[in-house]
Amino acid sequence: MQIINSRHAGRLKCLFPPRHHSLSYNVTPGDEVEDMFILLKEVKRQIPSVAAVSSGAIASDYQRLRVESVCSRLGLVSLAYLWKQDQSLLLQQMIRSGIVAIIVKVAAIGLDPSKHLGKEITHVEVHLHKLKELYGINVCGEGGEYETLTLDCPLFKNARIVLDKFQVVLHSSDQIAPVGVLHPMEYHLENKLVSLSACDNDKSYEVTLGEFDSVCEVLGDCQDTCEAPNQKNDVISDLALDTQHDIHISESRKDSTISIACWLQDASKTSADLREDLKVVLTRIELLLMEYNCSWENVLYIHLYIADMNEFAPANEEYVKFITQEKCWFGVPSRSTIELPLLQAGLGRAYIEVLVSNDNTKNVLHVQSISEWAPSCIGPYSQATVHKDVLYMAGQLGLDPPTMLLCDQGPPHEFQQALTNSEAVAKCFNCSISTSAVSLVIFCSVSVNSSDRIAIEDQKDVCLAQMKLRLNSGRRPSMPVVNDPVILYVLVPDLPKRASVEVKPLLYCGENIETSPGVTQKDLSMGEVYWGFQHESWHNNCLQKCIISGRLCTAVISVTQEIAGKICPQTTDSAYAESQCKVNTEKQAVRMAEFCIYLLDKVLLENDFSWDDVMNLRIYFIASPHASHETLSTIFTNAFNEFGEMSRRIDSDKGSFFNLVPVLGAGRSATSLDNILTCELFARKS
């Protein structure tokens, strides 16, 4: 047997190729990832029908991201059906299914090159579980604890591999965790009639270290490095924004975090389609980001509102021209896409909200591989983004993860699957939507009938209760606990893939703090009096709030027809319902705007928040000829200006910081989506 001289490290460059060690992968000449790219490119050339690549990634983001990078560059789908599966169960299943694999590298405490190199995994299974209990190792080697070589498995139909010659290199003789590698040198194939495994026959595939002539040690690491080409592209789109587009902006800034909304006012006469409107809006936002010394890589979350879901494909093609993985080195933003009645409200075909941070501290979860875990995000949008202890989760549909098809058992089951998918994402951050959510916005398609909405409402309570029960026995002390999130249902014309529901959770994933949304810092009956409003008990009937003391504040005000009658007692409910007079409607809209501002101000004051802490104020309204976006925008702008003069708690130079969003309906229950106005507030301390 030939043994390499351990002290000639330079001769081992082929065995330990240089790697780009950051978690996100950038094209690196000489990296093993590029070898895989070259190989798969040739495979695709020779077999054009190849459409996907399957990998065994279980928990290693390093591995998964590199496979996904290659697949993305070659137009292939990444399949990772083992992703996030229980490793102990997987190891057992692999052994029982007839996979015969030997250990060819060890690099962890408790694994000894002289004892474990060449051993079959079936013979070290018990030892691996013992090491898991003692030191928390990954029993499937996902942390690089060990590597294996498969000699036989059910896929090997005609022959198995038999090693004839191999060499062992001791890469590190560390007393706690020595690193050793077994390199196959020569082998032959042994014909078989039936695929055998170490479980059902007495034949051993193991090699023993007694057969080695010597064991050599590698001194030092390979010093060759490769510079990755800089793919960052900061060149702004060359679109010329002509004066025919009436572009509107709302902005809110809190320290290093900025919320921006952009839409077109009455673009029906100036644009041809959704794609054109989206291009104009994205370009305007891109220019604004540059003014803040930011770019798309600083964006945490994007709300993409479009006028027609039938045009989603071409709109998405335009979207990916602006937001790419190459531009977003810190991770692509999470996204929610909804069809809204934009044209009925007098708006253009595209409306976008973006949440931005220029401190580069976001943590992005972006899994493009199809797996059993949760729906993949194939494209420049991620499952979730965490920033300053807040988890902004992408809108979750009721997709079956391994097939990426909508659940076909009806809207309630589709909703249940959407919650399950949300929970899978939350668990990656040691959270649960049942205990960590501060708000759950549930978009319902207008195609969902009333009986299914009742079932969805019931399903929500059942699913969240079951999730809490499962967590009670296994919750770690560090898991944050929020008693009751704010719940808001929004009725919309359509959703991606013609889904019935889309769930958008917002979670707190900071330190464990038990909260109660009913407990306030100050007496509810106290506070300033504005526009003649004073505290009344019925105010609580239209208010939901969830407070993380000194950290977060979420609140929803639901103005139903009944509440509107109490806000405007001079007009009866029936008169309001029958009124077709624009003047009366506008007068009531003014009064409702004043009431919402008054009540939101009380929530902020009672819990020691200020208007400067508000990151987002979204106002949903039912689009109609008597309640256009432009009219309501003027009403709320005037009301806020007046409130600022009275209270001195809002800077008069703050400008528009609220977003008016036209919908078909909204409410705190799926069974009553009849709000006239709905205010959704999110505030955060530094």
Side-chain angles (χ1 to χ4, degrees):
M1 176 174 295
Q2 180 183 0
I3 301 298
I4 292 179
N5 188 329
S6 65
R7 301 191 181 277
H8 295 288
R11 296 172 58 186
L12 297 178
K13 285 195 288 187
C14 60
L15 301 179
F16 302 96
R19 297 186 180 185
H20 193 80
H21 287 286
S22 64
L23 189 59
S24 297
Y25 179 73
N26 207 5
V27 176
T28 307
D31 194 288
E32 62 182 0
V33 176
E34 298 312 305
D35 295 335
M36 179 170 61
F37 174 82
I38 294 170
L39 173 62
L40 290 177
K41 185 177 181 180
E42 179 62 19
V43 169
K44 191 176 180 183
R45 186 185 70 82
Q46 295 194 29
I47 314 175
S49 61
V50 169
V53 173
S54 180
S55 68
I58 302 171
S60 171
D61 286 305
Y62 183 93
Q63 180 188 93
R64 174 184 58 78
L65 288 169
R66 279 147 180 75
V67 174
E68 290 176 352
S69 172
V70 171
C71 288
S72 177
R73 291 156 63 190
L74 292 174
L76 298 169
V77 175
S78 173
L79 306 176
Y81 287 112
L82 304 185
W83 184 249
K84 294 297 181 182
Q85 298 294 310
D86 182 88
Q87 292 190 40
S88 296
L89 182 61
L90 278 179
L91 182 62
Q92 183 184 72
Q93 290 175 337
M94 286 187 279
I95 293 172
R96 303 300 179 262
S97 65
I99 294 177
V100 180
I102 60 170
I103 294 179
V104 294
K105 179 181 178 181
V106 294
I109 186 171
L111 292 177
D112 189 335
S114 64
K115 293 180 181 179
H116 300 113
L117 283 178
K119 292 284 186 181
E120 289 184 35
I121 55 173
T122 185
H123 294 159
V124 296
E125 181 183 9
V126 174
H127 183 64
L128 290 172
H129 281 99
K130 183 178 179 181
L131 295 180
K132 177 187 176 183
E133 294 177 3
L134 291 173
Y135 311 116
I137 75 160
N138 297 277
V139 295
C140 285
E142 279 295 283
E145 293 89 346
Y146 68 92
E147 305 287 348
T148 59
L149 172 66
T150 299
L151 301 179
D152 194 11
C153 71
L155 290 177
F156 296 1
K157 298 298 183 184
N158 301 314
R160 63 182 64 88
I161 300 171
V162 178
L163 293 186
D164 298 317
K165 193 174 182 179
F166 42 83
Q167 60 190 19
V168 167
V169 175
L170 188 62
H171 190 56
S172 169
S173 57
D174 185 88
Q175 292 183 352
I176 297 177
V179 179
V181 181
L182 183 152
H183 291 280
M185 302 295 291
E186 295 179 8
Y187 65 91
H188 71 273
L189 300 180
E190 182 177 276
N191 293 331
K192 61 178 182 177
L193 296 178
V194 180
S195 180
L196 301 176
S197 74
C199 305
D200 54 18
N201 71 95
D202 296 330
K203 183 170 181 178
S204 175
Y205 294 80
E206 295 182 1
V207 295
T208 62
L209 295 188
E211 302 171 15
F212 302 144
D213 293 334
S214 65
V215 176
C216 52
E217 180 179 357
V218 177
L219 298 179
D221 296 322
C222 180
Q223 297 299 316
D224 292 352
T225 59
C226 295
E227 286 296 323
N230 184 8
Q231 295 185 349
K232 185 175 180 181
N233 182 8
D234 292 327
V235 180
I236 189 69
S237 168
D238 60 357
L239 175 65
L241 295 175
D242 52 11
T243 56
Q244 69 174 343
H245 293 112
D246 187 8
I247 304 173
H248 288 247
I249 296 290
S250 72
E251 297 178 70
S252 177
R253 182 161 190 168
K254 170 67 176 175
D255 299 327
S256 62
T257 309
I258 311 150
S259 179
I260 302 171
C262 183
W263 65 93
L264 300 176
Q265 198 75 43
D266 193 21
S268 58
K269 299 178 182 178
T270 60
S271 65
D273 54 26
L274 170 59
R275 188 166 190 162
E276 179 184 331
D277 281 9
L278 186 60
K279 184 176 182 180
V280 172
V281 171
L282 287 170
T283 301
R284 184 68 183 95
I285 292 175
E286 195 168 43
L287 291 169
L288 276 173
L289 291 174
M290 292 183 67
E291 291 178 12
Y292 283 114
N293 294 317
C294 294
S295 65
W296 291 111
E297 72 177 353
N298 300 108
V299 176
L300 308 174
Y301 201 96
I302 295 178
H303 287 88
L304 175 59
Y305 304 132
I306 59 177
D308 188 355
M309 199 59 71
N310 291 319
E311 296 184 70
F312 175 72
N316 203 46
E317 290 176 3
E318 191 65 37
Y319 179 93
V320 300
K321 289 181 180 178
F322 287 81
I323 303 153
T324 65
Q325 296 184 61
E326 289 75 19
K327 290 181 180 180
C328 302
W329 180 245
F330 300 109
V332 290
S334 305
R335 188 179 80 178
S336 172
T337 303
I338 307 292
E339 179 182 320
L340 295 179
L342 298 176
L343 297 179
Q344 295 91 314
L347 302 177
R349 294 172 172 82
Y351 183 145
I352 291 180
E353 298 177 15
V354 297
L355 185 64
V356 188
S357 174
N358 60 13
D359 59 11
N360 297 333
T361 61
K362 69 177 183 179
N363 182 12
V364 174
L365 175 66
H366 185 203
V367 179
Q368 300 182 73
S369 300
I370 296 176
S371 69
E372 299 272 357
W373 164 70
S376 63
C377 288
I378 303 175
Y381 39 90
S382 58
Q383 281 89 352
T385 301
V386 172
H387 181 252
K388 293 186 176 179
D389 293 336
V390 180
L391 192 160
Y392 304 91
M393 193 181 299
Q396 296 295 316
L397 305 179
L399 294 169
D400 177 45
T403 64
M404 290 298 290
L405 298 175
L406 286 170
C407 178
D408 59 1
Q409 297 176 287
H413 287 87
E414 192 179 317
F415 175 63
Q416 181 181 9
Q417 184 64 55
L419 289 177
T420 300
N421 295 338
S422 301
E423 182 73 352
V425 174
K427 283 182 177 179
C428 293
F429 299 93
N430 189 34
C431 291
S432 169
I433 60 170
S434 65
T435 59
S436 306
V438 293
S439 75
L440 283 175
V441 179
I442 302 164
F443 296 98
C444 291
S445 168
V446 71
S447 64
V448 181
N449 60 44
S450 57
S451 61
D452 280 335
R453 289 182 199 167
I454 294 173
I456 285 173
E457 179 73 20
D458 295 338
Q459 191 71 264
K460 178 212 33 142
D461 296 332
V462 171
C463 287
L464 294 180
Q466 290 176 344
M467 289 176 184
K468 283 185 179 180
L469 286 175
R470 286 194 292 266
L471 285 173
N472 283 339
S473 59
R475 184 190 298 141
R476 286 179 279 180
S478 61
M479 180 175 286
V481 177
V482 178
N483 283 342
D484 292 301
V486 166
I487 305 288
L488 176 63
Y489 292 86
V490 180
L491 188 65
V492 297
D494 203 359
L495 294 165
K497 297 182 179 290
R498 298 291 185 263
S500 300
V501 291
E502 178 175 320
V503 179
K504 189 187 69 171
L506 181 71
L507 288 79
Y508 173 71
C509 56
E511 62 186 71
N512 185 10
I513 296 180
E514 301 239 1
T515 63
S516 172
V519 175
T520 57
Q521 300 281 340
K522 302 174 183 177
D523 187 349
L524 188 64
S525 63
M526 298 176 62
E528 300 291 338
V529 176
Y530 299 106
W531 295 298
F533 290 112
Q534 294 184 358
H535 173 70
E536 297 187 44
S537 59
W538 60 265
H539 290 181
N540 292 332
N541 298 333
C542 63
L543 174 66
Q544 298 180 75
K545 60 182 181 293
C546 182
I547 311 297
I548 307 294
S549 181
R551 289 169 173 79
L552 301 179
C553 171
T554 59
V556 167
I557 296 176
S558 299
V559 181
T560 62
Q561 188 166 301
E562 179 185 358
I563 296 297
K566 294 179 179 180
I567 296 172
C568 311
Q570 67 274 18
T571 305
T572 64
D573 290 350
S574 58
Y576 177 81
E578 297 172 359
S579 174
Q580 297 297 316
C581 177
K582 184 175 181 181
V583 174
N584 277 349
T585 302
E586 287 189 6
K587 286 182 178 179
Q588 289 201 341
V590 169
R591 192 62 177 162
M592 286 187 286
E594 293 170 347
F595 173 77
C596 289
I597 295 171
Y598 157 78
L599 198 53
L600 289 174
D601 182 64
K602 284 185 65 65
V603 172
L604 294 172
L605 275 178
E606 290 162 1
N607 296 281
D608 291 332
F609 286 85
S610 71
W611 284 99
D612 289 336
D613 297 320
V614 174
M615 291 304 310
N616 188 275
L617 175 56
R618 196 174 290 112
I619 303 169
Y620 301 96
F621 69 99
I622 298 177
S624 72
H626 305 296
S628 70
H629 185 280
E630 188 173 15
T631 299
L632 285 176
S633 180
T634 300
I635 288 171
F636 271 92
T637 298
N638 292 339
F640 270 113
N641 288 339
E642 185 177 350
F643 175 76
E645 293 177 359
M646 291 188 296
S647 68
R648 302 297 180 185
R649 287 202 295 275
I650 295 182
D651 188 349
S652 59
D653 297 329
K654 188 177 181 69
S656 177
F657 65 95
F658 57 86
N659 304 330
L660 282 162
V661 181
V663 295
L664 299 180
R668 62 195 304 169
S669 167
T671 59
S672 57
L673 301 172
D674 54 358
N675 288 1
I676 299 171
L677 274 180
T678 307
C679 296
E680 178 194 3
L681 177 141
F682 172 58
R684 194 199 69 210
K685 293 283 188 181
S686 299

